[in-house]
Amino acid sequence: MTDLRRPLVAGNWKMNGLRADGLARTRALVDKAGKRPPAIDILICPPATLLTTIGRALGGRRGAIALGAQDCAPRTSGAHTGDIAAPMLADAGCRYVILGHSERRGDHRETSALVRAKATAALDSGLTPIVCVGETAAQRRAGKTLAVVRNQLARSLPEAAVARPFVVAYEPVWAIGSGHTPTPAEVGKVHGALRAWLEGRLGERAAAVRLLYGGSVNGANAQALMAVANVDGGLIGGASLKVDEFWSICVATAGNRKTTRRPARKQGGKVKR
Ligand code: PEP
């Protein structure tokens, strides 16, 4: 039996943290992971100013906890003051980059077309993009959740994603930082729809794409949310700033680990297993 989707718990620190507290948090996490390594992937995405410092504290590329960024530019170099290119992030030790977070789609008016260009740049630089999608409260009330997330994903995923690893995060905008979450059944419905959409686009490869849930995940609700079918981990904002809380989410996710079989292949009309 092959585990196609090792769960991933990613901490998005957003615009929080100076060197001293970022380092203290990282060292405490590294210590916990060293004593009791959970059978999942763990990722920290600090602000860009701390990437090098936190990357070093994580033990570099070989460290058990991966380093990621919160955004990247769609171009790889040039006269773009204030932007950070994907090759620079890879050079700084990043393995992942969060793209299309609703705070960037909202605060910076990022369109899905821009997210797609950024995801292309990330893939070309060897980074794994975490592409975020999610509906607003008004869209949810109007019953448009599935249409919105499918549409965002269709427009945000680059052609190159057909052949390279990427992660999708379902983050309802109304759940982020609000203390409210969809029910596990609602999360299951959205994740099931995203998986089905990916199957239409990628075929068998869709089974390897990790789908994260994000939005007010904490130590108390992680167990129920991470147990949902097609939830392969979480994107964690506020709770990732508290070491014990973040760690309890990692432990709950590891405890709920699901083993995902590679889909059966048809051969000569027969299903090969
Ligand atoms: C996020 O912003 O990615 C997020 C999930 O935030 P929070 O966990 O604080 O809701």
Side-chain angles (χ1 to χ4, degrees), residues 12 14 101 103 171 175-178 214-217 235-239:
N12 174 13
K14 311 193 184 191
H101 190 283
E103 285 153 15
E171 297 209 305
I176 293 179
S178 66
S216 293
V217 178
L235 180 52
I236 318 298

Side-chain angles (χ1 to χ4, degrees), residues 24-45:
R25 199 180 299 135
T26 304
R27 286 180 182 141
L29 261 183
V30 168
D31 186 52
K32 283 182 185 290
K35 285 188 184 133
R36 196 154 68 98
I40 59 168
D41 290 338
I42 303 176
L43 166 69
I44 293 182
C45 301

Side-chain angles (χ1 to χ4, degrees), residues 70-76 80 83-84 86 97-101 103-123 129-132 151-158:
Q70 299 174 15
D71 183 38
C72 74
R75 297 190 184 84
T76 50
H80 305 289
D83 284 354
I84 302 177
V97 59
I98 299 170
L99 294 174
H101 190 283
E103 285 153 15
R104 292 214 59 89
R105 289 182 189 261
D107 297 354
H108 301 274
R109 304 203 181 158
E110 287 196 1
T111 61
S112 290
L114 180 59
V115 175
R116 173 188 274 173
K118 291 180 172 195
T120 303
L123 288 169
I130 300 177
V131 177
C132 302
N151 189 270
Q152 282 179 330
L153 191 55
R155 289 169 190 267
S156 303
L157 268 196

